[in-house]
Amino acid sequence: MTAGNSFGTLFRFTTWGESHGPAIGVVVDGCPSLLPLSEADIQPYMDKRRPGQSKYTTQRQEADQIKILSGVFEGKTTGSPISLFIENADMRSKDYLEIKDKYRPGHADFTYFAKYGIRDWRGSGRASARETACRVAAGAIARKILGKKILVRGALVQIGPHKIDRDNWDWKQVDKNPFFCPDRKAAAKWEAYLDKVRKSGSSAGAIIEVVASGVPAGLGEPIYDKLDGDLARAMMTINAVKGVEIGTGMGAAALSGEENADEMQEDGKGGARFLSNNAGGILGGISTGQDVVARFAVKPTSSILTPRKTVDRKSKNTEVSTKGRHDPCVGIRAVPIGEAMMACVLADHYLRFKASRI
Amino acid sequence: MTAGNSFGTLFRFTTWGESHGPAIGVVVDGCPSLLPLSEADIQPYMDKRRPGQSKYTTQRQEADQIKILSGVFEGKTTGSPISLFIENADMRSKDYLEIKDKYRPGHADFTYFAKYGIRDWRGSGRASARETACRVAAGAIARKILGKKILVRGALVQIGPHKIDRDNWDWKQVDKNPFFCPDRKAAAKWEAYLDKVRKSGSSAGAIIEVVASGVPAGLGEPIYDKLDGDLARAMMTINAVKGVEIGTGMGAAALSGEENADEMQEDGKGGARFLSNNAGGILGGISTGQDVVARFAVKPTSSILTPRKTVDRKSKNTEVSTKGRHDPCVGIRAVPIGEAMMACVLADHYLRFKASRI
Amino acid sequence: MTAGNSFGTLFRFTTWGESHGPAIGVVVDGCPSLLPLSEADIQPYMDKRRPGQSKYTTQRQEADQIKILSGVFEGKTTGSPISLFIENADMRSKDYLEIKDKYRPGHADFTYFAKYGIRDWRGSGRASARETACRVAAGAIARKILGKKILVRGALVQIGPHKIDRDNWDWKQVDKNPFFCPDRKAAAKWEAYLDKVRKSGSSAGAIIEVVASGVPAGLGEPIYDKLDGDLARAMMTINAVKGVEIGTGMGAAALSGEENADEMQEDGKGGARFLSNNAGGILGGISTGQDVVARFAVKPTSSILTPRKTVDRKSKNTEVSTKGRHDPCVGIRAVPIGEAMMACVLADHYLRFKASRI
Amino acid sequence: MTAGNSFGTLFRFTTWGESHGPAIGVVVDGCPSLLPLSEADIQPYMDKRRPGQSKYTTQRQEADQIKILSGVFEGKTTGSPISLFIENADMRSKDYLEIKDKYRPGHADFTYFAKYGIRDWRGSGRASARETACRVAAGAIARKILGKKILVRGALVQIGPHKIDRDNWDWKQVDKNPFFCPDRKAAAKWEAYLDKVRKSGSSAGAIIEVVASGVPAGLGEPIYDKLDGDLARAMMTINAVKGVEIGTGMGAAALSGEENADEMQEDGKGGARFLSNNAGGILGGISTGQDVVARFAVKPTSSILTPRKTVDRKSKNTEVSTKGRHDPCVGIRAVPIGEAMMACVLADHYLRFKASRI
């Protein structure tokens, strides 16, 4: 967990590749053997994250065709590392020539240079959200481990300042609009709002909610590998994320003790159930058996048409405005990414749970 | 990073102990040699977290006297692991007898039992916030690594629904009220509010902000060991935390691209400066050189006097109300804990930064 | 696995303490819950390693009384870290005053100073074999995980140039002589040999063999966490070890392909058996179900009465001869240490094995 | 360090791929930025390990052409993960059809099946020594980190029962014979010996010695990440290795205390030097500044023409003799692999050393 490009412990993946290099990829290690797996299990999730599918995401055309190079034999996982490979396409590095010596506000240009003394400026190089395609691929394998009983779903619950009405929540709506929005009415409003943002050359932030149902009680390792700690890290490492919440989240601060702590009662089947889920399915870092609920905020895309003040590599004042293709709201495509990270964290803790019993 | 009770990579600590066991402790590994260190460097931070200092925190009286058992020779660190030891005192395990077979709402009682099949119910055992004393001790050593140029400070910015007025922010006020509140006026109001909460047997949540100044640009390891990812995990693993924000945090979703991305300009000294700090000092997972700003929400103390519905170990309906000594707002004492976690994360990344250059 | 004082992944322990500090200890993390555990389960192994039990080991008198400080509740493990504590006793730091500014040949004095710029010279500080008491304690807990079906035993098979006759191997003899020697006749000869070594103020090396029986097939994680790779590291980190062998070991080089590869045949019970065990129970890094056999060489104790050429901290020529109490053959006490390391590696891989299946 | 296909901490690589899959590869993470790097820096080491170069190694023809897919920009490393890619060629999977349901003695066939319940039998799949090509590639990058002052060289010092005469050691000879033998006379004799072995359809083992010169004093992390512990693991994880020695190795057991411990003296330049190097350049797990010397034994190739007794997947008696192309002495090609592992361990500890000082 030191060199930085790996995630997870028992279910562990390592990603590589730059936005405008020949390819990107991910090596998934620790996947149990004998799981049926083919490219067809992964591709649908790639397609969901793929850009260019509506006017609300970048127009870069990426096939994002996944190839399995190892770890699968006769249609089943062998327990060996699974190498997944995605060729890059439709790169326009020239679009970035103008900013190769400028630090774009809100981007990692300055910090990568400060850290490494060198920066692959083509399409933001390693700092590009293109890396998240690898997370989505890993997440598809994680879902295989979780099986059909555990369902991981995400939705956009806020775009710019506009929240959904949670009373309207309908999972079926999520696939019926270009925003992964579970509230049909909100989606309609967002369309107008985001059109305006897009046409003005500006951008908007968003909040994504990811929900895992069917998670058994007992997953998570106190004290420092708590399930919520791992989820917080997982989500915060997604590009442009600035906040992570579990259950009631930041709002928990404003509740009274009576309101917040979820009461329990007999469930009529010999077990117990919770009367509410402020905890977001996690207590003491361990899953309760309720839905695991994580939420994260994505800042507005930093690449905008409006000219912005900045400096160049010699620290001289200059201006920058982005002309490359970009998402007016990068948060939209973060939905499948957030789902993938949730699936990976759960798969890891599911395997760890198995190891914790004799 | 697998078994769960360790934190950090190069600067790495492992904690042990239960609330009502004979002692708790922490082993700090990876501390560079030749740093001057004695108990006197650590004790002030222990005292800051120590309970029983005002009517707003639990009345359990803990000396929390720190003992260094290894790793220091003739007043200096030797590079060997530093074992820190804290005896437990003033334990009243009897207070917990009544709940030993009940799951307290909002507590980890149910989940620990689900995971482990056994639970040390005395003072919540390992799940108790008593563990955080060890984090504070480790944090004091982390500060030694950071040196005097890097200053890590925390403050309470919200209690229940009551926020501070950020225009009143004055770091000097933080030590002058029992809330670590930087807004003198807010502190006065909070006193009345929390008195009421306390007398009614209820509890309140809080939001803590931790700020690190003097952090050089370049700390943090993309992609999965980003500085903000590690901070998110660090804060989320503190007991009762439900949300973590960096910089503008969840609020970033509502900003426009123009508002959010921090512009840069010449600083008049040959370098560059940022015109704002929505990023909270981190871009692309790497520190920018600005203040690193993390915020986290602590839920209201789950142990309250009001009877609450719950079940016992046999899943039978029952009620529970807590009679043990508890903090009406556990968030207050989270301030030094949050500071400690920030210091530990920065110390780790500081050492990692050194390793990343030839 | 970075800061250096921890061993293992899922079953993971961290040790601390110096030879002449107030105490030493080990924190065992990742031990499954619900295992019966008390000091009485650990103490016999401590006693086996304890010095001062014959004239062939150092005369330092250490009670090595183990104390469990956490992780056990009502006689069972809780899944929380188990902190084990051993007070130091009978320290004679004055014995080391003379060498505090000299580098003793064969010792870590020079290298610790080169690395850390400071050195706790009292009893060799952290570099002392006293640290191995912690390994033995951890090993006792590992045995609890392995259960009664897996038996880990060690023996001394060579002392100085004198090997045992493997045809005389009798496990029952191991506890009947001060050398843990399985060959009664060899033990008798060794007595005379080591008396001579001891009286002349010299020292002797040794080779230890550790055998684990009852290990199921399938333990070990290719490619880099192979069972033999982990054993090699485990044994090589024991003080004074210079070589590690699995099965036929270095001797495998001299065998022909026909001699070396262990043939298999029906076992008459529906399964298969091996006709020999040159592999030492490991193929491709994974256990075969046969006895796991590891061997390691311990160099002769570096502390001898004969004056030796060396330099002081200012790199000036000087001489040194050791007057502190030392083992004439430190390899003898390495037997229980090697057993402990074998048990810890197996326990770790046993838990990992459980995690590798859905 | 859990899922098994990664090696190292700060300098850390992850390998993937099977012998007869479309490709194999390695992701090198943690390489510092700004190092000049191109395929031309790596290819010579690939060529050295490449099979089919003499009649003493397998006749499989592999170009082993290395491709860099990421982490390098304008000829320099960027600090991002370096993905190296090697296409497989000249695979004859049909050669293995006969053994797909048989366990070859000395191979991992049985254990992989025991562990995973599935086995890619084509060319031994993941268990094939083909994986070591990835180690060699990683090692070439490690050498870039070590720079020109640290020289890592390997040689074959024994083949079958025939040792070199160490008095004849001449590094220049190593590249002048097909055995990497430093003793011209021994090489001549080995030729006749190995011809005989090859023609009889048998195989021979070997011992390899790897020497690193120019290593500064101070590398290595006590207690469990000792330099020799990491080297032992590194070498033992190479296919077919059964023993690892540091310095005098197993032979240290037979030495007296006077013979073994290396004395020191003034070096005439204000520093100190050692009078011998039984320690193999490591004391207390930390480098001394002398040559670091590691040796390992490779068992004879298990694939031989002679029919051998074994069982099939149903545990029925059968016979097996290998007809695929194989090395009569797989140890020969282990020389560049051992060098690579030494380079990787040293590069990792070199970076860790930098992190250990403020």
Side-chain angles (χ1 to χ4, degrees):
Chain A
M1 213 152 290
T2 32
N5 292 282
S6 301
F7 186 85
T9 55
L10 294 181
F11 179 79
R12 180 174 178 82
F13 63 87
T14 302
T15 72
W16 57 269
E18 287 87 33
S19 184
H20 289 206
I24 58 173
V26 52
V27 182
V28 177
D29 201 6
C31 181
S33 58
L34 296 172
L35 295 176
L37 185 72
S38 74
E39 278 96 351
D41 292 309
I42 305 172
Q43 196 61 46
Y45 298 100
M46 304 306 293
D47 293 344
K48 193 171 172 183
R49 193 209 74 102
R50 191 159 55 84
Q53 303 191 91
S54 82
K55 59 186 172 184
Y56 307 110
T57 59
T58 172
Q59 295 307 301
R60 178 171 169 174
Q61 293 295 333
E62 285 286 358
D64 277 354
Q65 198 71 39
I66 203 85
K67 276 187 218 165
I68 298 176
L69 295 183
S70 68
V72 176
F73 182 63
E74 299 181 340
K76 287 182 185 159
T77 58
T78 61
S80 292
I82 303 167
S83 176
L84 302 172
F85 191 85
I86 309 160
E87 276 184 63
N88 283 330
D90 191 25
M91 300 164 289
R92 300 190 196 158
S93 299
K94 277 183 205 163
D95 286 358
Y96 293 86
L97 264 172
E98 199 188 317
I99 57 93
K100 87 185 179 73
D101 291 317
K102 293 179 180 177
Y103 301 133
R104 292 168 298 164
H107 276 282
D109 302 346
F110 171 73
T111 54
Y112 266 62
F113 201 79
K115 179 173 176 62
Y116 296 116
I118 186 174
R119 180 169 80 83
D120 181 350
W121 46 263
R122 302 164 309 164
S124 296
R126 181 71 182 151
S128 166
R130 179 131 189 79
E131 188 271 344
T132 59
C134 298
R135 303 179 184 225
V136 171
I141 296 177
R143 285 176 193 263
K144 286 288 200 170
I145 295 171
L146 298 178
K148 290 184 179 167
K149 287 186 186 162
I150 299 180
L151 185 63
V152 178
R153 295 182 290 190
L156 213 68
V157 298
Q158 181 177 333
I159 198 162
H162 306 292
K163 301 183 185 186
I164 62 161
D165 179 345
R166 301 185 80 92
D167 289 337
N168 295 340
W169 193 297
D170 178 5
W171 280 111
K172 286 177 203 147
Q173 289 299 320
V174 165
D175 294 328
K176 295 185 179 162
N177 60 70
F179 308 109
F180 303 114
C181 177
D183 172 358
R184 197 175 53 81
K185 288 184 189 167
K189 288 180 198 158
W190 290 359
E191 206 157 324
Y193 168 73
L194 207 57
D195 270 333
K196 200 175 130 196
V197 165
R198 188 174 54 85
K199 284 174 188 163
S200 69
S202 185
S203 62
I207 295 182
I208 290 92
E209 183 163 317
V210 183
V211 180
S213 307
V215 178
L219 306 196
E221 301 287 328
I223 301 293
Y224 296 101
D225 293 3
K226 284 174 171 161
L227 186 58
D228 38 2
D230 281 7
L231 284 171
R233 177 174 165 236
M235 302 309 176
M236 193 65 96
T237 64
I238 298 173
N239 303 49
V241 172
K242 300 306 287 182
V244 182
E245 300 184 315
I246 302 294
T248 306
M250 299 302 291
L255 299 182
S256 70
E258 287 78 7
E259 292 164 327
N260 179 71
D262 306 311
E263 293 182 301
M264 300 182 79
Q265 285 291 272
E266 296 175 12
D267 69 357
K269 303 170 206 163
R273 65 189 177 89
F274 289 89
L275 305 187
S276 55
N277 190 13
N278 288 305
I282 303 174
L283 285 171
I286 304 172
S287 63
T288 62
Q290 287 200 286
D291 281 0
V292 174
V293 182
R295 223 163 17 256
F296 58 95
V298 176
K299 68 183 186 184
T301 317
S302 297
S303 300
I304 51 178
L305 293 182
T306 319
R308 304 283 290 154
K309 293 180 191 167
T310 192
V311 296
D312 60 21
R313 274 175 53 179
K314 294 180 178 161
S315 295
K316 292 297 168 200
N317 284 347
T318 182
E319 278 201 341
V320 69
S321 69
T322 312
K323 292 178 191 108
R325 300 154 299 174
H326 288 282
D327 297 84
C329 175
V330 77
I332 299 171
R333 290 166 57 209
V335 172
I337 304 165
E339 288 176 354
M341 294 309 286
M342 171 73 86
C344 289
V345 168
L346 290 175
D348 192 25
H349 277 284
Y350 179 72
L351 296 179
R352 293 166 83 170
F353 177 75
K354 294 183 73 64
S356 72
R357 291 296 180 102
I358 288 216
Chain B
M1 213 153 290
T2 34
N5 292 283
S6 299
F7 187 85
T9 56
L10 293 181
F11 179 79
R12 181 174 177 83
F13 63 87
T14 301
T15 71
W16 56 269
E18 287 87 33
S19 184
H20 289 205
I24 59 174
V26 52
V27 182
V28 177
D29 201 6
C31 181
S33 58
L34 297 174
L35 295 176
L37 185 72
S38 73
E39 278 97 349
D41 292 308
I42 305 172
Q43 196 60 46
Y45 299 100
M46 305 306 293
D47 292 345
K48 193 170 172 184
R49 194 209 73 102
R50 192 158 56 82
Q53 304 190 90
S54 82
K55 58 188 173 182
Y56 306 111
T57 59
T58 173
Q59 295 307 303
R60 177 171 169 174
Q61 294 295 335
E62 284 287 358
D64 277 353
Q65 196 73 37
I66 202 85
K67 277 186 216 166
I68 298 176
L69 295 183
S70 69
V72 175
F73 182 62
E74 299 181 341
K76 287 181 185 159
T77 58
T78 62
S80 291
I82 303 167
S83 177
L84 302 173
F85 191 86
I86 308 161
E87 277 184 62
N88 282 330
D90 192 25
M91 300 165 287
R92 300 190 196 158
S93 298
K94 278 185 204 161
D95 286 358
Y96 293 85
L97 262 173
E98 198 188 317
I99 57 93
K100 87 187 178 73
D101 292 316
K102 293 178 180 178
Y103 301 133
R104 291 168 298 165
H107 276 282
D109 302 346
F110 171 72
T111 54
Y112 266 62
F113 201 78
K115 178 173 177 61
Y116 297 115
I118 186 174
R119 181 169 78 83
D120 180 350
W121 46 264
R122 301 165 308 164
S124 296
R126 182 68 181 152
S128 164
R130 177 128 191 82
E131 188 271 347
T132 59
C134 297
R135 303 180 183 223
V136 170
I141 295 177
R143 286 176 193 263
K144 285 289 200 171
I145 295 171
L146 298 177
K148 290 186 179 166
K149 286 186 186 163
I150 299 180
L151 185 63
V152 178
R153 293 182 291 189
L156 212 67
V157 298
Q158 182 178 330
I159 199 162
H162 305 293
K163 300 183 187 187
I164 61 159
D165 179 344
R166 300 185 81 90
D167 290 337
N168 294 341
W169 192 297
D170 177 3
W171 281 110
K172 285 179 203 145
Q173 289 299 322
V174 165
D175 294 329
K176 294 186 179 161
N177 60 71
F179 308 108
F180 303 113
C181 178
D183 172 357
R184 197 175 54 79
K185 287 183 189 169
K189 288 180 196 159
W190 290 359
E191 207 157 325
Y193 168 73
L194 207 58
D195 269 335
K196 201 175 129 194
V197 165
R198 188 173 57 83
K199 284 173 187 162
S200 70
S202 185
S203 62
I207 295 182
I208 291 91
E209 184 163 316
V210 183
V211 180
S213 308
V215 178
L219 306 197
E221 302 287 326
I223 301 293
Y224 297 101
D225 293 2
K226 284 174 172 159
L227 187 58
D228 37 2
D230 281 7
L231 284 172
R233 177 175 165 234
M235 301 309 175
M236 194 63 96
T237 64
I238 299 174
N239 302 49
V241 171
K242 300 306 287 183
V244 181
E245 301 184 314
I246 302 295
T248 306
M250 301 302 291
L255 299 182
S256 70
E258 287 77 6
E259 291 164 327
N260 179 69
D262 307 310
E263 292 183 301
M264 300 181 79
Q265 286 290 272
E266 295 175 12
D267 68 357
K269 304 170 206 161
R273 66 190 177 87
F274 290 89
L275 305 188
S276 56
N277 191 13
N278 287 306
I282 303 174
L283 285 171
I286 304 172
S287 63
T288 63
Q290 287 199 285
D291 281 0
V292 174
V293 181
R295 225 164 14 256
F296 58 94
V298 176
K299 69 183 186 185
T301 317
S302 297
S303 299
I304 51 178
L305 293 182
T306 320
R308 304 283 289 153
K309 292 179 192 169
T310 194
V311 297
D312 60 21
R313 276 174 52 178
K314 293 179 178 161
S315 295
K316 292 297 168 201
N317 284 346
T318 181
E319 279 200 342
V320 68
S321 68
T322 311
K323 295 185 189 99
R325 298 155 298 173
H326 288 282
D327 298 84
C329 175
V330 76
I332 299 171
R333 288 167 56 210
V335 172
I337 303 165
E339 289 177 351
M341 293 310 284
M342 170 74 87
C344 288
V345 168
L346 291 175
D348 192 25
H349 277 284
Y350 180 72
L351 296 179
R352 292 167 83 170
F353 177 76
K354 294 183 72 66
S356 74
R357 291 296 179 99
I358 287 216
Chain C
M1 213 155 290
T2 33
N5 291 283
S6 300
F7 187 85
T9 55
L10 293 181
F11 179 79
R12 180 173 178 83
F13 62 88
T14 301
T15 71
W16 57 269
E18 286 87 32
S19 184
H20 288 205
I24 59 174
V26 52
V27 182
V28 177
D29 201 6
C31 181
S33 58
L34 297 173
L35 295 176
L37 185 72
S38 73
E39 277 97 350
D41 292 308
I42 306 171
Q43 196 61 45
Y45 299 99
M46 305 305 294
D47 293 345
K48 194 170 171 184
R49 195 208 73 102
R50 192 158 55 83
Q53 304 190 90
S54 83
K55 60 187 170 183
Y56 306 111
T57 59
T58 172
Q59 296 307 302
R60 177 170 169 175
Q61 294 294 334
E62 284 287 358
D64 277 353
Q65 197 72 39
I66 202 84
K67 276 186 218 167
I68 298 176
L69 295 184
S70 68
V72 176
F73 181 62
E74 298 182 342
K76 287 181 185 159
T77 58
T78 62
S80 291
I82 303 167
S83 176
L84 302 172
F85 190 87
I86 308 161
E87 277 184 61
N88 282 330
D90 192 25
M91 301 164 288
R92 300 191 195 157
S93 298
K94 278 183 204 161
D95 286 357
Y96 293 86
L97 262 172
E98 197 187 318
I99 57 92
K100 87 184 179 73
D101 291 316
K102 293 178 181 179
Y103 301 132
R104 291 168 298 164
H107 276 281
D109 302 346
F110 171 72
T111 54
Y112 266 62
F113 200 78
K115 179 173 176 62
Y116 297 115
I118 186 174
R119 181 169 78 83
D120 180 351
W121 45 263
R122 301 165 308 164
S124 296
R126 182 71 181 151
S128 165
R130 178 131 190 80
E131 188 271 346
T132 59
C134 298
R135 303 179 184 224
V136 170
I141 295 177
R143 286 177 194 262
K144 286 289 198 170
I145 296 172
L146 298 177
K148 289 184 179 167
K149 287 185 186 163
I150 299 179
L151 185 63
V152 177
R153 294 181 292 189
L156 212 67
V157 298
Q158 182 178 329
I159 199 162
H162 306 291
K163 301 182 184 185
I164 61 160
D165 179 346
R166 299 185 80 92
D167 291 337
N168 295 341
W169 193 297
D170 178 3
W171 281 111
K172 285 177 203 146
Q173 288 299 322
V174 166
D175 294 328
K176 294 186 178 160
N177 60 69
F179 308 109
F180 304 113
C181 178
D183 171 357
R184 197 175 53 81
K185 287 184 189 169
K189 287 180 197 159
W190 290 359
E191 206 156 325
Y193 168 73
L194 207 57
D195 270 334
K196 200 176 129 195
V197 166
R198 188 173 57 83
K199 283 173 187 163
S200 70
S202 186
S203 62
I207 295 183
I208 290 91
E209 183 164 317
V210 182
V211 180
S213 308
V215 178
L219 306 196
E221 302 287 328
I223 301 294
Y224 297 101
D225 293 3
K226 284 174 170 159
L227 187 58
D228 38 2
D230 281 7
L231 284 172
R233 177 175 165 233
M235 301 309 175
M236 194 65 96
T237 64
I238 299 173
N239 303 49
V241 171
K242 300 306 287 184
V244 182
E245 301 184 315
I246 302 295
T248 306
M250 300 302 290
L255 299 181
S256 70
E258 287 78 8
E259 292 164 327
N260 178 71
D262 307 310
E263 294 182 301
M264 300 181 78
Q265 285 290 272
E266 296 175 11
D267 68 357
K269 304 170 206 161
R273 66 190 176 87
F274 290 89
L275 304 187
S276 56
N277 191 14
N278 287 306
I282 303 174
L283 285 171
I286 304 172
S287 62
T288 63
Q290 287 199 285
D291 281 359
V292 174
V293 181
R295 223 163 17 255
F296 58 95
V298 175
K299 69 183 185 184
T301 317
S302 297
S303 300
I304 50 178
L305 292 183
T306 321
R308 304 283 289 154
K309 292 180 191 168
T310 194
V311 297
D312 60 21
R313 275 175 53 177
K314 293 179 180 163
S315 295
K316 293 296 168 200
N317 284 346
T318 181
E319 280 201 340
V320 68
S321 69
T322 312
K323 291 178 193 106
R325 299 154 298 173
H326 289 282
D327 298 84
C329 176
V330 76
I332 299 171
R333 289 167 56 210
V335 173
I337 304 166
E339 289 177 353
M341 293 309 285
M342 171 73 87
C344 288
V345 168
L346 291 175
D348 191 25
H349 277 285
Y350 180 73
L351 296 180
R352 293 167 82 169
F353 177 76
K354 294 184 71 66
S356 74
R357 291 296 179 100
I358 289 216
Chain D
M1 211 152 292
T2 33
N5 292 282
S6 300
F7 187 85
T9 55
L10 294 182
F11 179 80
R12 179 174 178 83
F13 62 87
T14 301
T15 72
W16 57 269
E18 286 87 32
S19 184
H20 288 206
I24 58 173
V26 52
V27 182
V28 177
D29 201 6
C31 182
S33 59
L34 296 173
L35 295 176
L37 185 72
S38 74
E39 277 97 350
D41 292 309
I42 305 172
Q43 196 60 46
Y45 298 100
M46 304 307 292
D47 293 345
K48 193 171 173 184
R49 194 209 73 103
R50 191 159 54 84
Q53 303 192 91
S54 82
K55 59 187 171 185
Y56 307 111
T57 59
T58 172
Q59 295 307 302
R60 177 169 170 175
Q61 293 295 335
E62 285 286 358
D64 277 353
Q65 198 72 39
I66 202 85
K67 276 186 218 165
I68 298 176
L69 295 183
S70 68
V72 175
F73 182 62
E74 298 181 341
K76 287 182 185 158
T77 58
T78 62
S80 292
I82 303 167
S83 176
L84 302 172
F85 191 86
I86 308 160
E87 277 184 60
N88 282 331
D90 192 25
M91 300 164 288
R92 300 190 196 159
S93 298
K94 279 183 203 162
D95 286 358
Y96 293 86
L97 263 173
E98 199 188 316
I99 57 93
K100 86 184 180 75
D101 292 316
K102 293 179 179 177
Y103 301 132
R104 292 167 298 165
H107 276 282
D109 302 346
F110 171 72
T111 53
Y112 266 62
F113 201 78
K115 178 173 177 62
Y116 296 115
I118 186 174
R119 180 168 81 82
D120 181 350
W121 46 264
R122 302 165 307 164
S124 296
R126 182 70 182 152
S128 166
R130 178 132 190 79
E131 188 271 345
T132 59
C134 298
R135 303 178 184 224
V136 170
I141 296 177
R143 285 177 194 263
K144 286 288 199 172
I145 295 171
L146 297 178
K148 290 184 179 167
K149 287 187 187 161
I150 299 180
L151 186 62
V152 178
R153 294 182 292 189
L156 213 67
V157 298
Q158 182 177 330
I159 198 161
H162 305 293
K163 301 183 184 185
I164 61 160
D165 179 345
R166 301 185 80 93
D167 289 337
N168 294 341
W169 193 297
D170 177 3
W171 280 110
K172 285 178 202 146
Q173 289 299 321
V174 165
D175 294 328
K176 294 185 179 164
N177 59 71
F179 309 109
F180 304 113
C181 178
D183 171 357
R184 196 174 54 80
K185 289 184 189 169
K189 287 180 198 158
W190 290 359
E191 207 157 324
Y193 167 74
L194 207 57
D195 269 334
K196 200 175 128 194
V197 166
R198 188 174 56 84
K199 284 173 187 163
S200 69
S202 184
S203 62
I207 295 183
I208 291 91
E209 182 164 318
V210 183
V211 180
S213 308
V215 178
L219 306 195
E221 301 288 327
I223 299 295
Y224 296 101
D225 293 3
K226 284 174 172 162
L227 187 58
D228 38 2
D230 281 6
L231 284 171
R233 177 174 165 234
M235 302 308 176
M236 194 65 95
T237 64
I238 298 173
N239 303 49
V241 171
K242 300 305 288 182
V244 182
E245 300 184 315
I246 302 294
T248 306
M250 300 301 291
L255 299 181
S256 70
E258 286 77 8
E259 291 164 328
N260 179 70
D262 307 310
E263 294 182 302
M264 300 182 78
Q265 285 291 270
E266 295 176 11
D267 68 357
K269 304 170 206 162
R273 65 190 177 87
F274 289 89
L275 304 187
S276 56
N277 190 13
N278 287 305
I282 303 173
L283 285 171
I286 303 173
S287 63
T288 63
Q290 287 199 286
D291 281 359
V292 174
V293 182
R295 223 163 18 254
F296 58 95
V298 176
K299 69 183 186 185
T301 317
S302 297
S303 299
I304 52 178
L305 293 182
T306 320
R308 305 283 289 153
K309 293 179 190 167
T310 193
V311 296
D312 61 19
R313 274 174 53 178
K314 293 178 179 162
S315 295
K316 292 297 168 201
N317 284 346
T318 182
E319 278 201 340
V320 69
S321 68
T322 312
K323 294 182 190 103
R325 300 155 297 174
H326 289 282
D327 298 83
C329 175
V330 77
I332 299 171
R333 289 166 57 209
V335 172
I337 304 164
E339 288 176 354
M341 294 309 285
M342 171 73 87
C344 289
V345 168
L346 290 175
D348 192 25
H349 278 285
Y350 179 72
L351 296 179
R352 292 166 84 170
F353 177 76
K354 295 183 72 65
S356 73
R357 290 297 180 102
I358 289 217

